[in-house]
Every structure is written in structure tokens, then in C-alpha cells.
Amino acid sequence: MPLYVLGKKIGRGLHRVFCEPLIKNAFAKCGSNVRVSKGCEFSGIENISVGNNVALGSGLKILTTRARVSIGNDVMFGPNVTIITGNHRIDISGRPMISLTDKDKLPENDQDVVLEGDNWIGANVTILKGVRIGYGAVVAAGALINHDVPPFSIWGGVPAKQLKMRFSEEEIRKIVNRGEKE
């Protein structure tokens, strides 16, 4: 086995044993069977809730100061996904924008992000403040999500738009009805 491959395996093992439990414990809530890949970054980790059966892909970056990020059950993230719950003030004259701090923000500058569950978020996706990704929705690689994504839809592009639905209306009705009976 090449040394590079061996080194990567050892690094992943150390991450799972030492880093992953610390990260999971720092979340506001963390379900079972949650995988936190190496290279994830969290700002405001205490504002992040994670459901069951979630795979946080390598390079995931979640930036939140005031708003909450809620990740439902059965969610997969590809590599290098970014979730940003806030914005900078741009309406204050006489001060450089870089000098403004979190204390200068208005309530509308930070908004929650919700992933309802059974979502697949592709590689290099950016999700901005105030967005709700509906149950069963898929976001294609490289997309910029700046508004809500309806359940069971597939979105892609910059800015993202709906590409198609995962299932027919009849199949979605069956899925929803099954969920109500459980």
C-alpha cells in the first residue's frame, strides 16, 4: 500500500476517533449515525442541529452567528458545500463595510436555513440565508440557492431554478400519505 494511501487512512481514523465526537457534541442537537468528514468548518456550531442518518461531506462550511441551521434526517452533502445564514450591512455610510461587526447587524441580516430531510446537496453548492430546502429535494452540484426549494424538486444553476420534479404528482401524494399513516 502506498504511503500516501496509508497516511490518508490513518488521518481519517484519527478524525473519527478524536475530532468527530467533539464536533457532534458541540452541535445544538445531533442525531444518530451522523458522519462528519474531515475538513468541515463550523462558525456558530451551537446554532446547528443535525438529524439522524446525515453525511456531512468533506469541506462543508456552515457560517452562522445568530440564525439557526436545521438539518433534518437522511441528508447527504457532497464536498465543499457552503451554508451562510447572514449578510453584511451595506447601508451605513461613513464606515467601511469591513469595520462593521455582528453587533451592527439588523434582525433581517441573519435568517435561519432549514433542510427538511431526505435531501441530497451536491458538490460546491452554496445555500444562502432564509432558505428552506423541502423534504426530498435535490440540489445539483454548483448551484446557488437563494430562495426556498419545494419538496421533491430538483434544482440547479446560478442562481438556481427548478429543473424538474423527482416524482409524478401521484407518486408524491402516495409518499405523503404513507408518511401521514406512520
Side-chain angles (χ1 to χ4, degrees):
M1 176 181 305
L3 285 177
Y4 172 77
V5 174
L6 180 63
K8 283 191 69 89
K9 287 185 178 194
I10 291 169
R12 274 195 301 270
L14 290 172
H15 172 79
R16 284 190 182 147
V17 171
F18 296 108
C19 297
E20 196 172 281
L22 294 172
I23 293 168
K24 290 178 186 183
N25 193 48
F27 288 137
K29 173 186 164 278
C30 186
S32 62
N33 195 30
V34 173
R35 299 301 307 206
V36 182
S37 296
K38 276 182 69 174
C40 291
E41 293 181 42
F42 306 98
S43 171
I45 195 167
E46 67 279 0
N47 296 329
I48 302 168
S49 296
V50 181
N52 300 317
N53 305 315
V54 173
L56 304 176
S58 63
L60 170 70
K61 186 177 289 190
I62 300 178
L63 306 175
T64 180
T65 55
R66 298 178 182 181
R68 305 252 180 249
V69 174
S70 177
I71 300 168
N73 297 329
D74 306 308
V75 177
M76 301 181 293
F77 289 90
N80 303 312
V81 171
T82 302
I83 299 174
I84 303 172
T85 65
N87 228 344
H88 294 285
R89 297 270 313 260
I90 59 171
D91 61 339
I92 298 176
S93 65
R95 283 181 64 194
M97 290 179 286
I98 199 167
S99 73
L100 302 175
T101 67
D102 188 57
K103 292 177 181 137
D104 295 309
K105 287 187 174 188
L106 300 172
E108 61 268 20
N109 295 134
D110 286 280
Q111 297 173 4
D112 296 349
V113 169
V114 176
L115 288 87
E116 292 183 349
D118 188 26
N119 303 115
W120 177 16
I121 310 300
N124 300 305
V125 167
T126 299
I127 301 171
L128 299 179
K129 70 177 181 147
V131 167
R132 176 176 289 271
I133 308 286
Y135 186 86
V138 174
V139 179
L144 170 66
I145 305 295
N146 59 2
H147 53 275
D148 291 352
V149 172
F152 300 107
S153 60
I154 301 173
W155 284 61
V158 177
K161 61 183 179 191
Q162 185 171 326
L163 303 175
K164 66 181 195 172
M165 295 299 290
R166 285 182 61 196
F167 308 112
S168 68
E169 286 184 34
E170 180 182 331
E171 188 64 28
I172 291 171
R173 247 188 318 277
K174 288 180 189 176
I175 294 168
V176 170
N177 288 338
R178 249 183 290 167
E180 290 173 356
K181 291 177 185 173
E182 292 175 359

